[in-house]
Amino acid sequence: DVIDYLGGNPVVCLSQNGSFLENTTVLYYSYPTGYFILTNIGCSLSVVGSFLILLTHILFKELRTLPSKILMNLAVAIIVSNLFILIGGPIISSFPGKNLCTSVAIILHMFFLAQFSWMSVMVFEMIRTLRNATKLTPESQHFKTRLFVAYFVLGWSIPLVITVASIVVNFTTDDLVLYGELEDGTQGSCWINHLESAIVAFIVPVALSILFNGVSFICVSVLLCSAWRTESKLDNEKHVPF
């Protein structure tokens, strides 16, 4: 797709034979200005907020605990994905071409998956912290460093493996994944244009992450309620007269 902005509306221009510059019939798909404005405002706020989080933890070393390092990686994933949403349209409009559109699609795929991957890592660490809250012996810094390395590998390797596998399938088959192009070879949206591939390579991993986060939320709620009941019971026993 070649995105242009006419009258304040982003307009996607797609020629029927896949070539934007040739004298052929061109189809225009315009989106309401309100959607365009809301998308840009939301993405801009996400970028600014994530950048401030990242900058704060970079400047103040004492804030860089294990959960904060996980948050920093999540912020990086949010910044990159939202930046490419903001600048992807103008860049492709200025430099139309399938290769650039394919590159944007791959980057968005990778960093969207990374957002959910790091959210799952954050939830897992929260559960682990709550379960270990009653331990009398504090965890050593060496253990926390090794744990963060494991989290780092897990948080980035899962989206990377899925994206690399999708890239291999995209460039070795004619009708699967299809970054930036349609099944007939014409240029499509800068995303995964094959429905089944999008389900397998994006929707299923995201759904699993959301499911894990939802189940984890229930587990955390149960742990907190259990801890609250235990604390309340102990407080009541202290005030019982003998």
Side-chain angles (χ1 to χ4, degrees):
D1 295 343
V2 180
I3 301 176
D4 201 356
Y5 300 91
L6 303 176
N9 294 323
V11 178
V12 179
C13 307
L14 175 64
S15 66
Q16 290 182 338
N17 71 345
S19 176
F20 179 72
L21 298 178
E22 291 184 10
N23 186 19
T24 55
T25 303
V26 178
L27 306 178
Y28 293 89
Y29 303 94
S30 63
Y31 299 93
T33 305
Y35 293 168
F36 173 70
I37 294 174
L38 287 176
T39 298
N40 279 272
I41 291 175
C43 290
S44 299
L45 290 175
S46 295
V47 170
V48 172
S50 299
F51 177 77
L52 290 176
I53 290 174
L54 196 60
L55 181 63
T56 301
H57 287 84
I58 290 174
L59 294 177
F60 300 98
K61 185 178 180 181
E62 60 272 15
L63 296 178
R64 295 202 292 269
T65 61
L66 180 57
S68 297
K69 290 178 181 178
I70 296 173
L71 181 61
M72 291 172 70
N73 282 271
L74 175 59
V76 170
I78 292 174
I79 290 171
V80 175
S81 58
N82 281 276
L83 272 179
F84 271 88
I85 291 176
L86 289 171
I87 68 176
I91 289 178
I92 296 171
S93 178
S94 301
F95 306 97
K98 188 172 69 174
N99 292 335
L100 181 58
C101 185
T102 299
S103 300
V104 171
I106 291 172
I107 292 172
L108 288 175
H109 187 202
M110 166 70 186
F111 284 93
F112 274 141
L113 289 176
Q115 289 185 50
F116 288 93
S117 176
W118 278 104
M119 280 189 281
S120 297
V121 170
M122 181 180 294
V123 170
F124 178 82
E125 171 60 19
M126 184 185 302
I127 295 176
R128 192 192 69 84
T129 301
L130 289 174
R131 291 180 63 88
N132 296 337
T134 57
K135 287 186 177 181
L136 299 177
T137 304
E139 295 174 341
S140 65
Q141 186 60 40
H142 178 66
F143 174 79
K144 291 181 179 180
T145 301
R146 289 193 305 167
L147 186 59
F148 174 70
V149 171
Y151 285 159
F152 185 86
V153 173
L154 184 66
W156 288 112
S157 64
I158 292 177
L160 181 62
V161 168
I162 295 174
T163 305
V164 170
S166 300
I167 293 172
V168 172
V169 172
N170 183 77
F171 289 105
T172 56
T173 62
D174 295 329
D175 56 354
L176 292 175
V177 181
L178 300 175
Y179 284 123
E181 64 176 331
L182 302 176
E183 294 184 37
D184 60 1
T186 59
Q187 189 169 324
S189 64
C190 300
W191 183 240
I192 303 172
N193 289 285
H194 187 265
L195 178 59
E196 288 78 8
S197 298
I199 291 174
V200 173
F202 184 73
I203 295 177
V204 169
V206 168
L208 290 174
S209 175
I210 294 174
L211 178 63
F212 172 76
N213 294 343
V215 173
S216 300
F217 173 77
I218 296 174
C219 293
V220 169
S221 300
V222 170
L223 287 172
L224 291 175
C225 290
S226 176
W228 178 78
R229 289 195 188 98
T230 302
E231 185 178 357
S232 298
K233 184 178 180 180
L234 292 174
D235 289 339
N236 292 333
E237 290 176 353
K238 289 180 182 178
H239 293 89
V240 173
F242 292 95

